[in-house]
Amino acid sequence: MNETLKVLETRRSIKKFTSQLPKEEDIAAIVKAGTFAPSARNLQSSIIITVTNKEVRDKISEENRKIGGWKEGFDPFYGAPVILIVLADKTVSPQYIYDGSLVVGNILNAAKSLGLGSCWIHRAKEEFQSEFGKKFLEELGIKGDFEGIAHVALGYPAEVSETSRSPRKENYIYWIK
């Protein structure tokens, strides 16, 4: 099996990370892979915010926790030291959600290919509709009508299990010849 197909078949959502920060060049390569995702009419409506600052990471985690309704102390990013935030400008393309989702997919698979773990984390839409998210973007000087697509928790897996995967459902594929 070629390496790309192996990555696609063995990638898993990681829900327990070490605190070790990945190498900056690996993070940069993963983010760059996200920028090469297909986009409608190549309009590239998405942006990626890379957060490696622990204080900022923890503020985002706390906001996400509140939106999710979890008890204090819960970390919806599972201890990952890096958060990648994918947003897309709604005014650039009517397909902005699909564009951003493809960016996230590229990021998840690139992480696996470099030996890092990742997990798609929801509630980015709600987070960036809130005053917290609007202020966050404003402080970064990011202008546009952005909607949060997803967060990606990124880091070294604390536990690795290549064998645990759900079987593929029946009737997943229909082939017309």
Side-chain angles (χ1 to χ4, degrees), residues 78-121:
Y78 305 108
V82 180
I83 300 172
L84 304 178
I85 307 166
V86 177
L87 302 104
D89 191 329
K90 298 187 280 188
T91 65
V92 172
S93 168
Q95 287 77 31
Y96 68 95
I97 293 174
Y98 309 116
D99 293 349
S101 295
L102 287 166
V103 168
V104 174
N106 271 23
I107 287 170
L108 297 171
N109 290 314
K112 171 66 178 173
S113 78
L114 293 176
L116 293 171
S118 63
C119 188
W120 179 313
I121 307 293

Side-chain angles (χ1 to χ4, degrees), residues 5 8 11 52 80 93 95 107 109 120 122-123 140:
L5 294 176
L8 295 172
R11 191 208 65 77
T52 56
S93 168
Q95 287 77 31
I107 287 170
N109 290 314
W120 179 313
H122 291 282
R123 294 164 300 284
L140 291 174

